[in-house]
Amino acid sequence: MKTRFCREEGEFVEKITKALVNENIDEFRQLFLKLHPYDRAKFYVEQSPEVRKRMYYYLSPGEMAEIFDHLDIEEDEYKTYLSEMDPSFIAQMLAQMYADNAVDVLNELDKKEAASYLTMMGDEAAKEIKDLLHYKEYTAGSIMTTEYIAIHANQTVRSAMQILKKEALHAETIYYIYVINEHKQLVGVLSLRELIVSDDDQMIHDIMNDQVVSVLVDEDQEDVARKMKDYDFLALPVVDAANHLLGIITVDDIVDVISEEASDDYSKLAGVADVDIQRSPLDAAKKRLPWLIILLFLGMVTANLISRFEETLQKIAILAVFIPLIAGMSGNTGTQSLAVAVRRIAMGDFSKESKWKMIVREALTGVIIGATCGSVIMVVVYIWKHELFLGLLVGVALFATLTVATVAGALIPLIMYRLRIDPAVASGPFITTINDIISILIYFGLATMFMNYLL
């Protein structure tokens, strides 16, 4: 997502642009490097390809690496920007980026292209990035960084401070210092504050916290985000099954995960694979059609049900007037209940007690909503058509359908979760169609049963 500079920054940005266009390298570098890295990244993406190509000559690979570490763009846009650069420049830039961010960029490229950049890098940087590339996507391993500070339990605060000063420049965060043993297993953690205020001759094992909260390398990124939120950490250590420290996940990566997961859940609730404004019409149609075809056939089931009550409709044609109202209201209440259930599951609140409480709560909510809406429509129909029994029929049908639809909206995501299917795929359109079928059965079932009172 691209954002514009505010007016207060306008004059400063104009000076930078003027220096860049006039090929005044010294002035451009002096002004540009005063900007916050995020603002440099904003400036970079707002330039034309011709202007950006000039920036590659004025900035070093390390300075471009800092820009790419802060880019806020669609994943498939990386290819566009990289195509403007010299391959050796790209390799040097990737080597100086934080390893987890470099991996994100390489994952968007062809395997051969990514391999060529790794070949041009130094051995140490290439190995670090290769190690991260092997982890499964959307897991803790895929979003962790290996730029962290680790010390040993059997050293003094003085020696730990020396390590901190030496490695701080290359670490992604220094607010937590992790303690490992001789086997590189995670045994403790301490904050920068605790290290600074401690006596120089104190031993690390005397001041560290040995109750370390960590995540496994194959843990889902959504669970990691939830744990980060629960504990209010700035970073979480990542370990393997043997508790070896492999890397850390920082809060900035978790913010990206939360945004990505929210976008993914929203797109599923809309019945599409993902939300991408850059997708071509043909690709977008290919992604959306599978769900729509399924919903089309479910819609045919609804149409078939209505046809089975053709005799009832012929005798009491007025019933057709209320079909959109009954079906529409059931779909709306079902979608509301669905949103509550999916949100509860996403928050990890899925104990047996919590599950039944939610179902009972939604059922009672459905009864209250159904009773209220049913009473209102009964009065409206009676005033409108002067038919007391017709109003009673529509009111009772609406009460029953809204109650059932609310419970169905809560139950379907729970069933999908139990079947290890992402509950977000129980999308609004899917719930709406299912509830259409339920509402038609209830409405026409009641009408057929009490048809003699309507004639």
Side-chain angles (χ1 to χ4, degrees), residues 189-207:
V189 64
L190 67 159
S191 68
L192 179 61
R193 176 186 292 177
E194 291 168 328
L195 191 65
I196 291 173
V197 301
S198 297
D199 188 87
D200 287 347
D201 295 321
Q202 275 191 287
M203 299 299 291
I204 294 299
H205 58 69
D206 291 331
I207 62 172

Side-chain angles (χ1 to χ4, degrees), residues 4-23:
R4 297 281 174 188
F5 288 94
C6 64
R7 290 182 180 180
E8 297 175 2
E9 299 172 299
E11 291 184 9
F12 192 75
V13 171
E14 283 180 15
K15 289 181 180 179
I16 297 173
T17 306
K18 186 177 179 181
L20 183 59
V21 172
N22 293 337
E23 300 184 15

Side-chain angles (χ1 to χ4, degrees), residues 103 107 127-146 216-219 238-240 244-247:
V103 167
N107 277 330
K127 183 181 182 304
E128 191 174 5
I129 293 172
K130 283 178 183 176
D131 289 342
L132 293 181
L133 280 169
H134 292 151
Y135 292 113
K136 188 178 178 182
E137 198 173 8
Y138 307 122
T139 63
S142 69
I143 59 173
M144 74 178 183
T145 180
T146 52
L216 288 171
V217 69
D218 58 354
E219 196 165 333
V238 182
V239 298
D240 61 14
H244 295 113
L245 181 60
L246 302 177

Side-chain angles (χ1 to χ4, degrees), residues 384-447:
W384 178 28
K385 295 295 181 180
H386 304 290
E387 290 284 349
L388 177 60
F389 197 83
L390 178 63
L392 186 62
L393 171 66
V394 176
V396 171
L398 189 60
F399 164 74
T401 55
L402 294 190
T403 303
V404 174
T406 304
V407 175
L411 275 176
I412 289 177
L414 298 179
I415 293 170
M416 288 191 166
Y417 184 86
R418 187 69 179 269
L419 296 174
R420 299 185 182 277
I421 300 172
D422 189 341
V425 301
S427 60
F430 182 74
I431 286 290
T432 301
T433 307
I434 292 295
N435 283 338
D436 281 349
I437 295 172
I438 294 171
S439 62
I440 293 300
L441 279 172
I442 293 173
Y443 180 45
F444 281 107
L446 288 172

Side-chain angles (χ1 to χ4, degrees), residues 9 71 75 77 93 106 138 219 221 229 257 306 357 366 431 441:
E9 299 172 299
L71 279 183
E75 292 178 344
E77 290 185 271
M93 180 188 74
L106 290 173
Y138 307 122
E219 196 165 333
Q221 64 177 16
K229 178 185 75 70
V257 168
I306 294 175
K357 277 185 178 180
I431 286 290
L441 279 172

Side-chain angles (χ1 to χ4, degrees), residues 228-241:
M228 184 85 84
K229 178 185 75 70
D230 290 341
Y231 287 93
D232 289 328
F233 286 148
L234 295 176
L236 269 174
V238 182
V239 298
D240 61 14

